[in-house]
Amino acid sequence: MDIEPVVLEGTYVRLEPLTLDHIPGLCEVGLDPDLWQWTPFLYRTPSDMRNYVQIALRAQEQGTALPFATVERSSGRVIGSTRFGSIDREQLGVEIGWTWIAQQCQKTPINTEAKYLMLKHAFETFGCIRVQFKTDSLNTRSRAALLRIGAREEGVFRNHMITYSGRIRHTVYFSIIDSEWPQVKAHLEEKLQRPFEQLA
């Protein structure tokens, strides 16, 4: 697995390597507490966002992550972030996660296309045999979205994390494996051909 920074670009979204230069744009859309409801941490200030980016970049330096800024192609605005994480070169696996998108860009094709671009890169460039996702067991919207893209629910890690509020989180794991990718790919490509309003 040759994990190098790369730009992934589609019709609606461009995923570009995350840098410190993205912090102002991320702050413009990412300091809304509602965005962090289901995450272990809360980012409320520019300092918090800088810390978020620095942690992601350290993980990249250590070879365990490849973070992106999510850019809306139509406007050129930074609207969120996502990354490949939990990179396991020996076992040919990655996780797609740490994903958040500005409220006004949710229920659009952007997240669907971002997942498609990342999955395609994981299976067809990295040569992965497994891509995993995880989400809070209470996050029914995220769970439904992962099922819609073709991921399979695997199980629940109980008492997996203590969140910023002190709540103990159970985490649901999903995955797509290499033998499933052709069918998932066809499904996502068909989905992305639909009119904009049918993609939410």
Side-chain angles (χ1 to χ4, degrees):
M1 290 173 62
D2 187 15
I3 311 293
E4 296 293 338
V6 63
V7 175
L8 303 177
E9 190 158 11
T11 301
Y12 303 103
V13 68
R14 180 173 68 254
L15 302 177
E16 54 189 45
L18 185 65
T19 71
L20 295 176
D21 292 337
H22 289 114
I23 292 173
L26 293 172
C27 286
E28 285 184 17
V29 297
L31 301 181
D32 176 357
D34 289 344
L35 288 175
W36 309 102
Q37 179 181 7
W38 303 115
T39 64
F41 306 103
L42 177 62
Y43 301 93
R44 292 181 292 192
T45 68
S47 178
D48 290 341
M49 189 61 71
R50 174 171 288 274
N51 188 51
Y52 175 89
V53 172
Q54 289 174 331
I55 289 171
L57 294 178
R58 280 199 297 272
Q60 179 174 311
E61 290 173 2
Q62 293 163 359
T64 60
L66 189 61
F68 297 93
T70 304
V71 177
E72 182 181 43
R73 281 201 63 203
S74 62
S75 66
R77 293 183 310 133
V78 176
I79 55 166
S81 184
T82 189
R83 75 185 76 161
F84 291 114
S86 303
I87 294 170
D88 189 335
R89 290 169 173 80
E90 183 177 344
Q91 299 300 326
L92 302 179
V94 298
E95 180 175 334
I96 294 175
W98 298 266
T99 302
W100 60 272
I101 296 174
Q103 294 275 17
Q104 64 268 31
C105 296
Q106 295 177 14
K107 297 186 177 180
T108 74
I110 286 171
N111 192 40
T112 300
E113 187 173 59
K115 290 293 191 294
Y116 168 76
L117 293 170
M118 293 179 77
L119 284 164
K120 188 173 190 291
H121 197 73
F123 286 114
E124 299 181 14
T125 300
F126 292 163
C128 288
I129 62 171
R130 169 187 167 85
V131 175
Q132 74 175 27
F133 311 81
K134 62 178 184 283
T135 191
D136 193 307
S137 63
L138 298 181
N139 191 346
T140 55
R141 181 174 172 181
S142 176
R143 293 175 69 169
L146 287 167
L147 292 173
R148 280 199 304 273
I149 68 170
R152 295 194 184 185
E153 184 174 321
E154 295 181 321
V156 179
F157 274 38
R158 299 177 300 160
N159 287 5
H160 184 221
M161 298 178 180
I162 301 174
T163 69
Y164 62 84
S165 68
R167 179 176 63 88
I168 297 175
R169 163 178 153 164
H170 308 315
T171 297
V172 187
Y173 276 71
F174 293 79
S175 71
I176 298 170
I177 61 174
D178 56 346
S179 60
E180 297 163 349
W181 169 235
Q183 183 176 356
V184 171
K185 179 181 180 181
H187 165 68
L188 290 174
E189 288 178 343
E190 187 275 330
K191 190 177 179 69
L192 288 166
Q193 292 300 314
R194 299 176 194 168
F196 186 102
E197 63 273 9
Q198 295 180 17
L199 279 165

